[in-house]
Amino acid sequence: MPVWLLARWYRAIACVITSALFSACANEPLPLPVGTPAIGQWVWTRADVARFTESAAVRPALEAAVFIGSVHCDTATKRLVARAGLSPRVLQASPVSAVIRFEDGLDRCRRERGAAIHFNASLDSAVSILLTRTGDAPLRVVQLDHDAAVRALAAWAATVKYLSQHALARDSVWVTSVIAHLREPAYGDLFRDVVCGHVLQVFDTGEEATDAQVNEAVRIVERARMPFRLGLGAFERETKRGVTKHRAWFESVPLFARTRGYAGLWVFPAGRRWITLLRDDA
């Protein structure tokens, strides 16, 4: 059996085991995960590769999630197209996770194409093209990153379900989420049986790490009854409201770590050094 096929069967088995463990608790609070929660870094650019190398020297078990490309709605053809990102081979780490970004035009392309079968075929083709970039590189997880509008969560869940049954049928699939998504009480019901888990992104969302905000996030992420990892930003930027306070969320890690379903965290460095932001007990 080819190496790439063995790797995909491995990921499929890992997803089935994860889903089975958590679906057994579908009608009660999730058990606390067993073992040490994972720590990972997103790799979006070449600068992030350097950040991963220096951070992995401090945390040898550090995981990597490499941005392999994005899916866009072509305004001329109204079809979904793939744009290549990085190859997983930019890192020596193995295995890595792959990230596919779905841009905001996804819903527009869905509406323009009309019949779902045409949209889905275009979707499946674009994702399959990006997956060919991974070659025989073993992947832990495929993360689907999309800033879905709350009103479009059901449509996004249907899209993820389709991919999980087609282009990603043999992959362990996670999605990114934000606090606004989790405020929707149906979030867990929409995604729980579709993916292996979600990454709660708390940067670039306008949500600040106040005590009230952190407590709300903990409450609603637990309500979803899904495995999750916390997505942190190690950078700040100027906005109309002033300088962001992304790094303040690092202080909330111990509280999330005590939350049922917590499986670790991911850090988005945007080229910045970040490993010293983690507490020793993280």
Side-chain angles (χ1 to χ4, degrees):
M1 183 180 292
V3 173
W4 66 267
L5 187 56
L6 281 172
R8 288 209 165 184
W9 275 114
Y10 169 80
R11 298 197 297 274
I13 292 170
C15 184
V16 168
I17 292 173
T18 302
S19 298
L21 287 173
F22 285 98
S23 62
C25 306
N27 296 314
E28 59 183 352
L30 288 174
L32 289 171
V34 177
T36 303
I39 298 176
Q41 181 201 296
W42 280 301
V43 177
W44 226 256
T45 65
R46 296 282 176 176
D48 292 338
V49 174
R51 300 292 78 79
F52 179 85
T53 300
E54 67 186 19
S55 299
V58 179
R59 300 265 184 163
L62 185 67
E63 297 179 5
V66 179
F67 167 64
I68 64 170
S70 57
V71 176
H72 298 251
C73 179
D74 184 272
T75 55
T77 65
K78 303 302 187 292
R79 295 186 67 86
L80 294 170
V81 295
R83 293 181 183 172
L86 298 175
S87 165
R89 298 188 183 283
V90 297
L91 294 175
Q92 297 300 316
S94 180
V96 300
S97 294
V99 185
I100 298 175
R101 168 76 178 169
F102 293 80
E103 299 299 342
D104 294 341
L106 186 69
D107 291 329
R108 181 177 67 252
C109 216
R110 182 188 288 109
R111 291 191 301 269
E112 291 287 347
R113 290 298 300 171
I117 187 170
H118 298 300
F119 173 81
N120 287 339
S122 178
L123 178 76
D124 203 53
S125 174
V127 171
S128 295
I129 289 170
L130 291 176
L131 286 178
T132 61
R133 293 182 55 76
T134 67
D136 60 0
L139 299 177
R140 291 184 185 274
V141 163
V142 176
Q143 294 179 20
L144 306 182
D145 178 30
H146 179 48
D147 299 330
V150 173
R151 66 179 181 279
L153 279 175
W156 173 231
T159 293
V160 175
K161 182 176 182 178
Y162 179 84
L163 287 173
S164 297
Q165 295 173 343
H166 292 82
L168 303 177
R170 293 193 174 96
D171 292 283
S172 174
V173 179
W174 285 57
V175 292
T176 54
S177 63
V178 295
I179 292 173
H181 291 161
L182 294 170
R183 289 192 180 110
E184 170 53 56
Y187 183 87
D189 293 336
L190 287 172
F191 289 93
R192 189 179 304 114
D193 296 328
V194 177
V195 297
C196 295
H198 67 108
V199 183
L200 175 57
Q201 176 184 320
V202 293
F203 60 92
D204 271 352
T205 64
E207 311 273 8
E208 294 191 2
T210 63
D211 289 345
Q213 182 60 88
V214 171
N215 288 332
E216 181 200 14
V218 166
R219 176 178 60 81
I220 59 180
V221 77
E222 188 168 26
R223 179 179 65 183
R225 302 202 313 273
M226 294 173 61
F228 78 97
R229 288 172 71 165
L230 187 63
L232 300 169
F235 64 99
E236 307 294 359
R237 69 167 91 248
E238 288 278 357
T239 71
K240 293 180 179 179
R241 300 171 56 185
V243 179
T244 56
K245 299 178 181 178
H246 297 152
R247 294 186 175 197
W249 282 95
F250 278 82
E251 296 301 316
S252 70
V253 170
L255 187 56
F256 280 98
R258 296 194 294 271
T259 305
R260 295 187 183 278
Y262 180 75
L265 55 87
W266 286 101
V267 177
F268 192 88
R272 277 44 166 212
R273 291 184 168 86
W274 62 270
I275 196 65
T276 57
L277 298 175
L278 287 183
R279 292 167 46 134
D280 291 339
D281 55 353

